[in-house]
Amino acid sequence: MIQAFGLTSNPRKERPPAVDDVSFEARAGRITALLGASGAGKTTVLRLMLELQQGRGITHFRGRPLHRIAHPSREVGVLLGDVPGHPARTVRGHLRMLCAAAGVPVRRADEVLEAVGLVSLREERLGTLSRGMDRRLGLACVLLADPHTLVLDDPADGLSTREGAWLHGMVRAHADQGGTVLFTTSDPKGAARTADRVVTLEQGRLVADQEAAEFSRTRLRPRVAVRSPHAARLAVLLAQQARTSQLSVEVVREGGNRLSVYGSRCAEIGEIAFRHGIVVHQLADEVGDMGPGAGSARAGGPDDRKRADGGRIPVTREPSPSSGTPADPTDEPHPPLDPEAHADAPAPVTDTPSLSFGQPQLPDAEPDEFLDASSTGRSGDGSPAVAAPSRPSSPRPGRARTLDALPPLPPPISVRPAPSPLRPLRYEIRRAAGIGTGFLTGAVTLAVSAVIAVVLARIGHTPQPRLLAAWPQELPLPPAALGAGLLGALAFGDEFRHPALAADRGTVPRRLGLLAAKLLVSSATALVLAVLTVGCDAEALYLVYGRELAQVPADWLPLGASWIGLVVGCAWAGVLAAGVFRSTTAGLAAVGAVPLLVVPVVHKLVNGPSVRTAAGLPARLRETLVPRWPFGGERYLEAAIKVISQPVGGALTLSLTALLCAYLLTTLRSRLR
């Protein structure tokens, strides 16, 4: 279950907080609707519950706050707005990527695709999905890790009636199996029809927390509020008048000397009270807080209501979803029905004591709806109804179902794998390989490098190492380094531009683990790009000018180490800068700022005027450290020192150190908050 205590958002500038002291419960096995108009604070409440927004209060999911749950995605399934993800990623690839993040087998993606009916669209791109298919994919993402609790933000917004009924049927099946469902909506009619409990928000405050039947009776239907010291006698007189006039009128004893009369008007009640000499202290038209004609009543339990005089009479209610389309209270009243016309019609009831007169108004059932076989065993036309295949669940009388049979929910994950440090690595590999941006960037980098190498060889006056790297003197960085920096910036930039994991904080176990995975994948990509660039440039020079320009330099080892260090360093700079500044553009700008801004500063510090210089430092280090490095290891150490001692290498080292410290500080600060 969900227990929210005192949720309050941080106050805005000279304005009250968007959410102020909201507390409620959503119990297991039930659907809870968070109802409110646009701007009432529904989404803010969800973000506070999921710790995605700063504020006060705490939320327990089965007794634990979200930050105390080791694997949040296996406890809480979240859908906020549209399905987050790169529009060029396929449906199946997106789910497989989330499987790697959640640590569940990849076959789970195919199971949820079959459950939500998207098997035929598994190779479609996310950007091409319609609104209804996007909602289905969102539900698939929510069910992927088999969570106990579903938190959905207005899931039926923009859906057709059929798609909305399908979605509500799926979440009902989850609740019937013991799960907890909390969803937001601005449609009171849909909340009353779908939820078991309705929590109403108004301007960020909790104004009502009611069962669905009580919500339908007290907050949706227009009524006349009556206050009289002779309320019991007036209720009996209203009952007699309703029987005489054959009108559908319902009188509810609110306790004490108060009555709520549905289906009548102030003038009629006032005339009856005047004729019989009954004193009336209050007589006023009232409408539920959500406005007139907001919805229909919900089917209740199988019991009857009590009369004011102790007897029992059948209760007249608005038509429930199980009998067809709900009637809108704002419609024109229908003529009274013949009492014999629907003698066998079931009469839905509630648990609130009331008086009911007249006959129910039964609209014709829509052709795309039928009664659940567990309730009556008959469809709208009296023929036996075919139950939709689903997992075992408790029967719910009067529940509307569409003709399209709901597929069964995916089977639960009985054996969950232990936490593995490779989970972030699997996720990052699937994220990087799931779209063509990285492959296209690599291909463009290789092509540009080959063209630049051929042009530089034709012009002449370019050393062979720079020729093989396609690095003219006029460019601060070679194309391979810029390409590696762009790929590194995309590693974190896509996380913020298309946040597949932002709505489910903690899907990957640790942010530092995710950073390590991104650095490892980006370094491997940069290494491959560096080797392919040199190979493609050498092959292009050999094909155009012959073997002379494609020879391997004599000092290839330090040159190769310097080249790989430069490309990998640019990739890491892009990863760290994009993670700190939350933007791909900022990450690429940081890569370009290293040779343009940092290198001149480092060069000035190294070569500027000073009293003493570090002349001969490499030789002294070699003399000191050679005995400790057997098998010629001093050569590799000397190559590394040469790389770092170069202006570009030193600038990259300085930049990477600063960016890594900034990333660690932001991570620790967010954890402390």
Side-chain angles (χ1 to χ4, degrees):
M1 63 180 299
I2 302 176
Q3 296 172 305
F5 304 100
L7 298 179
T8 304
S9 61
N10 289 339
R12 299 164 289 182
K13 294 182 180 179
E14 299 180 356
R15 299 177 61 187
V19 174
D20 188 7
D21 194 20
V22 173
S23 302
F24 64 91
E25 288 186 357
R27 296 188 177 275
R30 300 172 63 111
I31 298 178
T32 304
L34 196 60
L35 177 66
S38 178
K42 305 184 298 296
T43 302
T44 304
V45 168
L46 297 188
R47 295 183 64 84
L48 289 171
M49 293 171 54
L50 299 170
E51 301 177 3
L52 298 176
Q53 182 172 329
Q54 295 183 8
R56 292 174 304 199
I58 191 171
T59 303
H60 287 169
F61 298 90
R62 290 205 287 182
R64 294 175 297 170
L66 192 64
H67 62 271
R68 297 291 185 184
I69 300 176
H71 304 286
S73 63
R74 300 180 184 178
E75 177 65 31
V76 184
V78 180
L79 178 60
L80 301 178
D82 295 335
V83 177
H86 199 288
R89 202 179 305 277
T90 63
V91 171
R92 190 166 183 249
H94 182 74
L95 290 176
R96 282 174 166 258
M97 181 187 71
L98 296 182
C99 284
V104 299
V106 293
R107 66 175 181 273
R108 181 71 175 175
D110 297 325
E111 294 175 356
V112 296
L113 283 176
E114 184 177 357
V116 301
L118 286 181
V119 176
S120 59
L121 301 179
R122 58 186 176 183
E123 299 302 327
E124 293 291 327
R125 307 289 178 181
L126 298 186
T128 63
L129 297 180
S130 64
R131 179 65 176 175
M133 297 302 103
D134 182 83
R135 295 290 87 186
R136 288 177 181 252
L137 177 60
L139 191 59
C141 297
V142 167
L143 297 174
L144 196 62
D146 189 25
H148 175 270
T149 303
L150 303 185
V151 178
L152 315 174
D153 186 16
D154 209 353
D157 180 36
L159 298 184
S160 64
T161 303
R162 182 178 292 270
E163 288 287 347
W166 177 89
L167 182 65
H168 291 151
M170 291 292 288
V171 298
R172 171 57 63 186
H174 182 83
D176 287 343
Q177 296 178 53
T180 304
V181 179
L182 173 66
F183 74 96
T184 66
T185 181
S186 58
D187 178 21
K189 184 183 295 185
R193 185 169 53 245
T194 305
D196 300 302
R197 192 168 188 85
V198 181
V199 179
T200 307
L201 295 179
E202 184 175 337
Q203 297 182 355
R205 291 180 175 271
L206 183 69
V207 296
D209 188 353
Q210 304 166 294
E211 292 293 326
E214 183 183 0
F215 168 80
S216 300
R217 181 181 62 81
T218 61
R219 303 181 65 83
L220 291 183
R221 299 168 60 190
R223 62 184 179 268
V224 178
V226 182
R227 188 186 298 271
S228 171
H230 308 287
R233 181 185 172 198
L234 181 57
V236 175
L237 292 174
L238 291 175
Q240 294 175 355
Q241 181 64 29
R243 292 192 185 95
T244 303
S245 304
Q246 294 186 352
L247 295 177
S248 179
V249 177
E250 181 180 3
V251 181
V252 179
R253 294 288 301 273
E254 299 289 355
N257 58 355
R258 296 184 56 195
L259 298 176
S260 291
V261 184
Y262 300 90
S264 186
R265 295 179 298 176
C266 287
E268 298 173 353
I269 298 174
E271 291 175 1
I272 294 175
F274 177 78
R275 287 199 305 265
H276 294 83
I278 297 178
V279 178
V280 176
H281 293 166
Q282 180 188 11
L283 191 62
D285 286 317
E286 291 185 354
V287 180
D289 294 344
M290 302 308 299
S296 62
R298 177 184 174 89
D303 54 341
D304 295 327
R305 297 179 183 172
K306 294 183 179 180
R307 291 181 183 266
D309 57 1
R312 304 181 69 90
I313 60 173
V315 176
T316 301
R317 291 288 310 275
E318 296 290 332
S320 67
S322 62
S323 60
T325 304
D328 194 336
T330 60
D331 295 341
E332 293 296 329
H334 296 275
L337 299 179
D338 184 4
E340 302 296 333
H342 299 279
D344 299 330
V349 295
T350 61
D351 298 331
T352 306
S354 66
L355 298 176
S356 176
F357 317 102
Q359 294 296 331
Q361 301 170 2
L362 299 178
D364 294 333
E366 290 184 357
D368 61 341
E369 296 184 353
F370 65 94
L371 292 178
D372 192 355
S374 61
S375 59
T376 61
R378 294 282 174 180
S379 62
D381 57 359
S383 58
V386 181
S390 62
R391 297 166 71 179
S393 61
S394 59
R396 300 189 60 84
R399 179 67 55 186
R401 300 290 296 274
T402 60
L403 285 176
D404 295 335
L406 288 175
L409 290 175
I413 303 176
S414 56
V415 179
R416 292 173 173 174
S420 169
L422 295 180
R423 281 173 51 194
L425 183 60
R426 294 193 190 103
Y427 163 77
E428 179 60 22
I429 292 175
R430 291 191 178 276
R431 186 208 62 79
I435 56 177
T437 304
F439 301 102
L440 180 61
T441 301
V444 171
T445 300
L446 294 178
V448 172
S449 298
V451 172
I452 291 178
V454 172
V455 173
L456 290 178
R458 181 177 180 83
I459 296 175
H461 308 292
T462 301
Q464 188 182 16
R466 279 186 169 266
L467 198 63
L468 292 176
W471 190 357
Q473 296 287 348
E474 296 76 14
L475 290 180
L477 286 175
L482 291 175
L486 176 59
L487 292 177
L490 287 172
F492 257 127
D494 283 346
E495 296 286 358
F496 300 108
R497 187 179 180 186
H498 309 289
L501 300 181
D504 192 3
R505 181 177 166 187
T507 303
V508 176
R510 297 171 297 275
R511 289 190 62 188
L512 295 182
L514 181 61
L515 173 64
K518 289 185 180 296
L519 291 177
L520 181 59
V521 173
S522 63
S523 60
T525 305
L527 177 62
V528 173
L529 187 62
V531 173
L532 290 179
T533 298
V534 174
C536 290
D537 293 347
E539 186 66 21
L541 293 173
Y542 173 75
L543 292 177
V544 177
Y545 301 108
R547 187 181 298 275
E548 179 181 359
L549 296 179
Q551 293 180 355
V552 178
D555 53 346
W556 63 272
L557 181 60
L559 289 175
S562 177
W563 170 245
I564 292 175
L566 174 65
V567 177
V568 173
C570 288
W572 283 15
V575 170
L576 292 172
V580 171
F581 300 107
R582 297 173 173 260
S583 171
T584 302
T585 305
L588 188 59
V591 174
V594 171
L596 295 177
L597 300 178
V598 183
V599 169
V601 174
V602 174
H603 187 73
K604 183 178 293 187
L605 292 176
V606 172
N607 299 328
S610 61
V611 177
R612 293 182 177 85
T613 60
L617 177 61
R620 290 193 296 272
L621 287 176
R622 184 168 59 253
E623 293 175 359
T624 304
L625 299 177
V626 162
R628 302 181 183 180
W629 291 83
F631 307 107
E634 69 276 2
R635 293 181 302 171
Y636 304 101
L637 178 62
E638 183 179 359
I641 294 175
K642 285 184 178 180
V643 171
I644 298 177
S645 63
Q646 294 176 0
V648 176
L652 273 176
T653 304
L654 180 63
S655 301
L656 290 175
T657 303
L659 289 173
L660 182 59
C661 292
Y663 185 89
L664 293 177
L665 286 176
T666 55
T667 302
L668 293 177
R669 185 178 62 178
S670 63
R671 289 188 176 183
L672 290 176
R673 286 181 179 178

